Amino acid sequence: MDIRHLKIFISVAETGSMSATAKTFFITQPSVSQVIKELENHYHLLLFERLGKRLFITPAGQQLLNQAHIVVRQFDALEESFSSLGSKEAIRIGSTITVGACLLTSLITDFKQSNPNIDSFSYVNNTKMIEERLLKAELDIGLVEGEIKHPDLIIEPVIDDYLVIACSRHHHFAGRQELNAQELEKEIFVLREEGSGTRELFIDFARSKDLTLNIGWEVTSPEIIKTIVMRNNCLAAISIRLVTEEIENGDIYAIRHQKAIWNRSFSLVYHKDKHLSPAVSSFMDIARKYGNTDMMITAPVGHLV
């Protein structure tokens, strides 16, 4: 058995298809079947069951899959470390959409100034997708606003943030000092997509209050969300960091929760088995310094009671 056996096994387990795995590895389907058979003979275990035309991983197969991910990840890290000796170092950074919109460009600029000889690749998506890529070792480090749930990922809160409900200056909530949560049920909301940490936090709040939200828009882009709020008289749950300028110039009115239950943190996330290279450590240090970023606004805001 070698590392290729494990990589082929992982592919079969994740795709549920030997033919798809054969195409990925540029081998024949019988060759894939032979690899699985060799693994089963090696461990004296049944790894898959075929029911009809579909493959289903067995409990023993699932245990092997969990361990195989770790072994392959460590092997790839070893290969990367030693194959890159003498070549230019690089870092792969993942950020959620909110973080990408309000902080990532500044973070990358600061990182480049401190590390001019290190290449960087940035990937921006929602919390769920960043989590998946970290687990597959496709990213070195992540900076997210959502809740990370996988036990293999280390989370370090570093930057304070909080949500507000945003409305336009023409909305009938604008200027209100206090609102009741039940009043939200009568309004149309523009929310982020499934998998977004911002959406999850606000939906959890709505469920805790037994609120039925009228979701009229589902949008991934913060800039589009702000445009919809200002032009279509909708409400949006959004990071204060994304609407500070609009609040200050009067285009958007913000409503905070009186008890600050929408407070949260942007967190650094990395795999527990990840080797923290000098590049990764440098990025983490820079992100930690952003924890002191001021979020104060002088314009009046409302409060949800």
Side-chain angles (χ1 to χ4, degrees):
M1 185 193 69
D2 57 29
I3 200 71
R4 187 171 173 82
H5 280 73
L6 293 181
K7 289 184 174 182
I8 290 172
F9 165 69
I10 289 172
S11 177
V12 174
E14 291 183 343
T15 64
S17 168
M18 290 194 181
S19 59
T21 297
K23 291 178 181 178
T24 299
F25 285 85
F26 302 102
I27 57 178
T28 64
Q29 187 170 334
S31 296
V32 175
S33 300
Q34 181 62 30
V35 167
I36 300 303
K37 184 177 179 181
E38 288 172 2
L39 279 172
E40 290 180 328
N41 290 339
H42 181 79
Y43 290 113
H44 306 290
L45 293 169
L46 180 66
L47 300 177
F48 296 98
E49 287 185 306
R50 183 179 292 278
L51 302 177
K53 295 183 178 181
R54 298 184 58 190
L55 283 176
F56 294 89
I57 194 166
T58 64
Q62 185 62 54
Q63 288 187 44
L64 178 60
L65 179 62
N66 295 339
Q67 294 298 315
H69 272 299
I70 295 172
V71 172
V72 169
R73 189 180 300 113
Q74 291 175 334
F75 177 83
D76 288 344
L78 180 69
E79 289 288 288
E80 181 181 342
S81 296
F82 282 88
S83 63
S84 63
L85 287 177
S87 64
K88 199 171 184 180
E89 190 177 357
I91 182 174
R92 300 165 299 174
I93 303 163
S95 99
T96 46
I97 293 170
T98 295
V99 176
C102 65
L103 288 176
L104 187 60
T105 54
S106 296
L107 279 165
I108 294 299
T109 298
D110 289 350
F111 178 80
K112 286 292 188 182
Q113 288 177 351
S114 300
N115 305 274
N117 296 319
I118 298 177
D119 289 333
S120 67
F121 165 78
S122 299
Y123 172 76
V124 180
N125 211 314
N126 61 42
T127 303
K128 180 180 178 183
M129 293 303 298
I130 299 300
E131 181 175 4
E132 288 182 5
R133 289 210 169 195
L134 286 167
L135 289 168
K136 292 179 180 178
E138 294 173 354
L139 294 171
D140 299 309
I141 188 75
L143 187 59
V144 307
E145 86 268 13
E147 182 183 357
I148 294 292
K149 300 169 183 175
H150 201 284
D152 287 345
L153 296 178
I154 304 296
I155 304 104
E156 179 190 339
V158 288
I159 302 172
D160 292 334
D161 184 51
Y162 61 87
L163 293 187
V164 295
I165 294 176
C167 67
S168 78
R169 60 186 175 186
H170 305 296
H171 195 279
H172 62 95
F173 283 175
R176 289 270 302 275
Q177 293 186 358
E178 288 189 355
L179 289 95
N180 188 283
Q182 275 61 44
E183 294 182 74
L184 301 179
E185 289 192 313
K186 302 174 183 178
E187 306 302 321
I188 299 174
F189 275 84
V190 50
L191 290 187
R192 287 279 308 280
E193 77 290 353
E194 294 283 349
S196 156
T198 296
R199 179 189 178 110
E200 183 176 17
L201 178 59
F202 191 68
I203 290 293
D204 286 347
F205 159 76
R207 286 174 181 154
S208 73
K209 295 294 183 181
D210 243 357
L211 300 180
T212 301
L213 296 178
N214 182 1
I215 303 173
W217 301 73
E218 190 173 280
V219 179
T220 58
S221 165
E223 290 303 316
I224 295 176
I225 289 175
K226 289 190 286 187
T227 299
I228 293 169
V229 165
M230 291 186 284
R231 295 185 181 179
N232 295 82
N233 222 29
C234 296
L235 301 182
I238 193 167
S239 165
I240 184 64
R241 293 179 178 274
L242 293 173
V243 289
T244 300
E245 182 179 345
E246 289 81 3
I247 293 170
E248 292 289 4
N249 64 28
D251 289 330
I252 281 179
Y253 185 71
I255 300 158
R256 291 192 68 178
H257 196 281
Q258 189 178 49
K259 296 182 179 178
I261 66 172
W262 296 335
N263 287 17
R264 63 181 182 178
S265 296
F266 297 157
S267 298
L268 289 166
V269 187
Y270 56 94
H271 197 278
K272 64 181 180 65
D273 297 322
K274 177 68 180 177
H275 166 66
L276 300 182
S277 67
V280 172
S281 297
S282 176
F283 180 81
M284 294 172 71
D285 288 340
I286 291 168
R288 291 179 185 118
K289 293 177 183 177
Y290 275 68
N292 299 321
T293 304
D294 192 4
M295 292 186 296
M296 294 296 294
I297 55 174
T298 59
V301 298
H303 290 90
L304 197 72
V305 297

